[in-house]
Structure formats: structure tokens, C-alpha cells
Amino acid sequence: MDKIVVADNVWILVSTAFVLLMSVPALALFYGGLTKVKSILNTIMMVMVAFGIVSLVWIVYGYSLVFAPDIGGFIGNLQYFFLNSIKPSDAAPAAPNLYHYLFIFFQMTFAAIATALMAGAFVERMKFGAWMLISLLWSTIVYFPVAHWIWGGGWLGDIGVLDFAGGIVIHETSGLAALVGAIILGKRKEPIMLPSSLPLVAIGTGLLWFGWFGFNGGSALAMNAQAVSAALVTTLAAIVGGIVWMVLEWIKFKKPTSLGLFTGIIAGLATITPASGFVDVFGGIVIGVAAAVVCFWAVVYLKNRFKYDDSLDVFGVHGVGGMLGAILLGIFAKEDIGGANGLMYGGGAGLLGKELLALLVVGIYTIILSYVIFKIVDKTIGLRVSRDDEIEGLDEAIHGEKAYIKEH
């Protein structure tokens, strides 16, 4: 009997397009608008080139390392190298209701955006070639193994760790790697950075939010009640995160800014991601509040306390948000939503303990391997542009272009 479900495939194909939109152009515009005018094109290119490199690597061997039968629970084998032996009409082993190619395509966009997210921590001072090499190495050495552990039949998934759409697999790994890289790279020569275009940030925020319907809703891997619930709680967390962040900023700095609203929305989206398919409306709202409060603290206080230059707050918003969401999943998960009860609904501390274990293991692995990758690249081709290039701006220094040209 044919297991392929047409409606599910339509929804996941649309979701795939949504997640692709999150990087190209949403994340590129969001990051670009936050960057100085003289490096905006470089920032956009960093996002887009990372997306392209990781997508190609995914097809060659990434999918196989994540979803092929594994070696000791750690990493998949090379059964699907270059998608060997897979026919377009085959059903996906991990999702028999979907065409295999579609499942591969959907997961490709997740791998690509996980790497692209890091770029925001390094803008205005990293060599473009170094970033391309890091994109290749980091996706291979960090993202693929972690994704296999939780989503591909690896050991963390086997013990019951849950991560609906990537709070641990994507946001924790990219956030921690961004922090490690930013510390190794060092501070910018011109650390005060006013956004080049808040309207671009607004457009990027809206497109990211739109794309998150595919990111979280599509992670149900079917057109079902869980997908709809995930999309709804995602939107609620974004709304609440944005409003609460704006109010916190209003209280501390005496003005409610558009940038604060936009940042709170993204924090809410990142934090609900691991829990979106497991929590109800109440859980989504609580997670939105927690996202704003904790990520605001990370961006405003923690960053200032330790003086690291995470340019666009990748760690403070995505890293902290993703880890917080995984913890709150262990508390607010509800069985009639996603099949598991968290601490609040009588499930005991078992699920929370598994989430904490995963956060610890993935965190240590990510920090150590990311440090090694950045150090190797720094010692070989170098991480940082020259002082003159940094002051001139990377658009002209590296790419020979300007974002905006005045007519004479």
C-alpha cells in the first residue's frame, strides 16, 4: 500500500519554501539592516554563501551522516552519499508519508540556516574566505553529528530527548559557536554600531516570522493538528516576546524602540522552537514572556558584564533562547499536544532531566569543537580582515561594491 500522503507533501513542500525564505532573504535582510552601511552587502553575502555551501554539502554527504543508519549512535554512515540509490518516488524512512527527496530538501534548509545564523556574531571584521571555510567545517563537524544524535536515530533521541524544531540542534549549537567565534575573533575597531536601516530589519523580522510557520509547523512532518498547534503557539510566543521586550526596554531606557520590539519577536520565535509541537497555548504565552525576560537580560546585562562582541546578539537571542526553550519544554510539555507530559502536567522530572542532559552534552561538544575549528582557520588562513579594511568597510574592501550609490 502506498504510504505517501499528498496533503502532507504539499504542506512540507510549502514549509520548505518558507524555511528557505527565512535565510534568503529574511535573515540576510534582518542582519544586513543591523549592520553599518559600509558592510551591509558583506553581511548579506555571509548569510547567503553559508546557506549555499551547507546546502551543497548536505546533498553530498550531510544527509547521509544525519539520517543514514548510524555507527555507534554517534553519526550516520555514507549509505546516502550523493543521495545514492534514492529515487524521487521513494518514501522517506524517517517520514514514510513523505517523498524521500522532499524530506531531504526540508532538512537541508534547517542545516543551512543553522550555520547561516552564526554570521551575525562576526559581521564587519571576518575574512570572507575564512567564513566560507568555517561554514563547511562547522556544519560537518558540529551540526551533522548533533542533528543525528537527536533527530537521526542517535543516542539522545533514543533516550527520549525532545527537540521539535531545533532549539538544541540549531539554536544552541549556532548560538554557542557564535559566542566562541566572537571571543576568538575579538572586538571590532568601531564597536558602536547604529543599524544602517531599521526598515530592512522590520522587513527581515516579518519574513522570518512568516518563515517560522514552516520551520515549526512543518516540523510535524504532516498536515495535522500538531502542525496547526505549533504554528499558533509560535505566533503567540512571538507576539508576547516582542511586547514584553519593548516594555522592559521602555522601563530601563525610557523609550520603546522598534529595534527592541523586533528583537523580542525573534527571541520569542527562537525560544518556542524546541517546544512548539509539545506545549499548549498557555505554555506558548509563558514561553514568550520568559524569552523576553531572559534574552533581554543576556543581551543587555550579560554581554555588558563579560564584554564580548557578539555583533548582532546571536548568542543572547538564539543561543540563550534555544536553551531556555528546551528547559521549558521539559516543564510545559502536554501529552495531548505532542505525546509527552512535562513537570507541570504530572510527567515528573524525567523529561526535564533528559533535556538538561542534552543541553549539557551538546553544549560541551559544540564549544570544544567550535573552538578547534576557529583556531585552525585562524592559524591557517586567518580569521580577521586588516584594520584598514575594517575601517573602510567590507563591502568595498572585499567585494568592490557599495550598497547605496549617490548619483552626481
Side-chain angles (χ1 to χ4, degrees):
M1 181 178 178
D2 191 0
K3 297 179 181 179
I4 299 295
V5 179
V6 173
D8 293 348
N9 281 269
V10 171
W11 168 235
I12 302 306
L13 183 58
V14 170
S15 295
T16 301
F18 281 10
V19 182
L20 192 152
L21 180 93
M22 291 176 72
S23 289
V24 186
L27 186 65
L29 293 178
F30 181 81
Y31 280 174
L34 290 170
T35 310
K36 291 189 184 80
V37 172
K38 60 186 180 181
S39 293
I40 185 173
L41 293 177
N42 175 260
T43 300
I44 290 171
M45 287 187 66
M46 285 179 73
V47 171
M48 296 180 74
V49 78
F51 193 93
I53 288 170
V54 178
S55 295
L56 291 174
V57 170
W58 179 258
I59 296 301
V60 176
Y61 59 80
Y63 174 71
S64 195
L65 293 180
V66 176
F67 287 103
D70 65 27
I71 303 169
F74 180 78
I75 195 73
N77 62 35
L78 291 177
Q79 175 180 337
Y80 299 130
F81 181 76
F82 242 119
L83 307 190
N84 179 51
S85 76
I86 300 175
K87 298 177 182 177
S89 58
D90 289 346
N97 57 316
L98 302 178
Y99 290 112
H100 204 164
Y101 269 19
L102 179 56
F103 180 76
I104 294 166
F105 192 9
F106 181 63
Q107 293 293 337
M108 180 191 83
T109 60
F110 278 63
I113 198 171
T115 306
L117 275 173
M118 289 192 296
F122 318 132
V123 298
E124 302 185 330
R125 63 200 192 277
M126 179 175 276
K127 290 181 178 179
F128 193 64
W131 171 241
M132 293 175 69
L133 181 56
I134 287 167
S135 297
L136 173 65
L137 294 175
W138 188 86
S139 60
T140 301
I141 297 171
V142 178
Y143 180 83
F144 296 161
V146 171
H148 179 78
W149 296 351
I150 296 178
W151 288 342
W155 69 279
L156 286 176
D158 284 346
I159 66 171
V161 171
L162 300 179
D163 184 4
F164 193 67
I168 302 172
V169 175
I170 294 175
H171 292 285
E172 182 188 13
T173 58
S174 61
L176 288 174
L179 178 62
V180 170
I183 292 171
I184 294 173
L185 195 57
K187 295 182 180 181
R188 288 163 289 171
K189 302 302 181 185
E190 301 175 320
I192 298 175
M193 181 173 68
L194 296 176
S196 61
S197 175
L198 285 172
L200 275 187
V201 179
I203 293 169
T205 301
L207 290 174
L208 280 166
W209 192 345
F210 179 82
W212 234 288
F213 284 99
F215 200 69
N216 288 358
S219 291
L221 299 178
M223 184 61 260
N224 55 24
Q226 188 181 35
V228 175
S229 176
L232 175 59
V233 299
T234 295
T235 293
L236 292 174
I239 292 169
V240 174
I243 292 173
V244 173
W245 189 299
M246 183 186 69
V247 171
L248 291 172
E249 192 178 61
W250 202 344
I251 293 169
K252 179 169 177 59
F253 302 112
K254 311 305 180 187
K255 291 184 184 295
T257 68
S258 62
L259 182 56
L261 177 64
F262 304 151
T263 305
I265 288 170
I266 301 302
L269 291 168
T271 307
I272 192 64
T273 291
S276 56
F278 301 110
V279 301
D280 62 7
V281 167
F282 173 75
I285 292 173
V286 172
I287 287 172
V289 173
V293 172
V294 177
C295 294
F296 182 85
W297 168 80
V299 169
V300 175
Y301 295 98
L302 187 66
K303 182 179 177 181
N304 185 58
R305 170 67 178 82
F306 291 100
K307 308 297 182 184
Y308 54 84
D309 190 7
D310 175 1
S311 310
L312 306 184
D313 296 308
V314 179
F315 172 70
V317 173
H318 294 279
V320 172
M323 291 186 282
L324 174 64
I327 294 169
L328 296 177
L329 159 60
I331 297 172
F332 293 103
K334 200 170 183 180
E335 188 172 11
D336 59 1
I337 303 293
N341 276 329
L343 185 63
M344 183 174 175
Y345 294 101
L351 178 57
L352 178 59
K354 293 171 185 176
E355 299 300 299
L356 290 170
L357 173 63
L359 287 169
L360 179 63
V361 171
V362 170
I364 293 171
Y365 180 84
T366 299
I367 290 169
I368 292 173
L369 272 296
S370 297
Y371 178 85
V372 171
I373 291 167
F374 279 94
K375 279 295 187 180
I376 288 173
V377 174
D378 192 28
K379 296 298 183 183
T380 52
I381 64 175
L383 284 175
R384 189 154 183 162
V385 300
S386 69
R387 179 184 177 86
D388 289 344
D389 286 350
E390 186 176 337
I391 292 173
E392 179 187 1
L394 303 191
D395 288 358
E396 286 196 86
I398 293 178
H399 308 292
E401 298 176 299
K402 288 185 177 181
Y404 304 103
I405 301 174
K406 294 181 180 179
E407 295 184 3
H408 297 286

